[in-house]
Structures are given as C-alpha cells and as structure tokens.
Amino acid sequence: MSAISTVLSIAAISFLAAYTLWLLITNLPRRGYAGLFKDADHGGVVLYWRPGCRFCMRLRFRLRFTSLAYREINIWKDQEAARFVRSVADGNETVPTVTVAGKAMVNPSLQQLIDAVKVSVPQLLPAEDGRKKPPQP
C-alpha cells in the first residue's frame, strides 16, 4: 500500500468518524428544549423535527448558536404533533416545520425564522447588547 493511499484511507476514516459524531449530536434532543405538542407554548416558537432529517439537523444546529427561546418536538414521538405538521404541509410530514406565534413555516431558513420572530414575537430575541429583553406587557 502506498503512502498516498494510506493517507487517503486515514482521511476517509476521519471524515466518516466526524460525520457520524455530527449526526449523533444533531439528532439528540436538547435538554430543556424538547417537549410535547400539548405542552408547547404555541404563542412562541415551536420547531417540529424528526431524527435523520438533514434539513432539521441543519436548522437545529444553527439555532444552537442563537439565544432564541423555542421548543423542539419530535414528530415521531408525538402523534398530535405529526398530525399538526400534516395539516400545514399539504398532508405531508415535511420537517422542519416551525410555528412562530401560531403561524406555520415549512422548511424555513434560519434567517426566515429570525425575521418572522422579529415581526411576531420580538421579545424572544435578545436585546442588541446581548442581554435578554424584559417581558413586554
């Protein structure tokens, strides 16, 4: 085996290990963020997802770097949530589906989500200086 093929083999194994770790991390429920449909604050931000969905993984990963208050609901563990997603996604279980103040968005980008929060529930975003905003009356 030549040195080049050895290096390529090591690189491929390293990539697969890193990718597997990323899949595991992005598919785990986040402590304090997971919930059920019946318990979620539907006046705030609710993210409906399912394990293995790469679009869900991408949005959930990006949300980890924001200080946005939201709940995550795994539609494979909550049939009521799955029914809701089908009702707003033309009968399909298209995820991620996000509700912002009760308004559904199917497969939004992080920027679309943040823009919707700015319009509907801006109190969930941090203040410009990074501190939490006080609750609005």
Side-chain angles (χ1 to χ4, degrees):
M1 190 183 265
S2 72
I4 293 175
S5 63
T6 302
V7 170
L8 290 176
S9 296
I10 292 171
I13 291 169
S14 299
F15 171 78
L16 288 174
Y19 183 70
T20 302
L21 182 62
W22 181 75
L23 284 175
L24 287 171
I25 290 171
T26 57
N27 277 301
L28 291 174
R30 293 186 62 198
R31 185 174 297 157
Y33 286 79
L36 297 173
F37 184 81
K38 65 179 180 163
D39 300 329
D41 174 16
H42 296 286
V45 178
V46 181
L47 168 67
Y48 300 90
W49 70 287
R50 67 172 169 78
C53 169
R54 65 184 179 150
F55 303 107
C56 297
M57 287 186 266
R58 185 176 67 209
L59 183 59
R60 291 176 72 220
F61 183 75
R62 289 178 178 171
L63 277 170
R64 289 177 190 231
F65 297 102
T66 70
S67 55
L68 179 65
Y70 66 97
R71 286 283 174 221
E72 294 182 345
I73 301 175
N74 180 345
I75 65 168
W76 281 359
K77 291 189 176 188
D78 189 334
Q79 291 303 311
E80 192 175 358
R83 268 192 300 279
F84 171 75
V85 169
R86 286 191 302 269
S87 76
V88 298
D90 298 324
N92 300 307
E93 289 186 354
T94 305
V95 286
T97 294
V98 181
T99 58
V100 177
K103 298 175 190 157
M105 303 168 66
V106 178
N107 198 13
S109 68
L110 179 61
Q111 190 59 53
Q112 290 170 324
L113 175 57
I114 297 297
D115 291 344
V117 170
K118 285 179 183 176
V119 170
S120 300
V121 280
Q123 67 273 16
L124 296 180
L125 292 171
E128 295 300 320
D129 60 4
R131 294 180 297 169
K132 283 284 192 187
K133 293 181 183 178
Q136 301 294 320

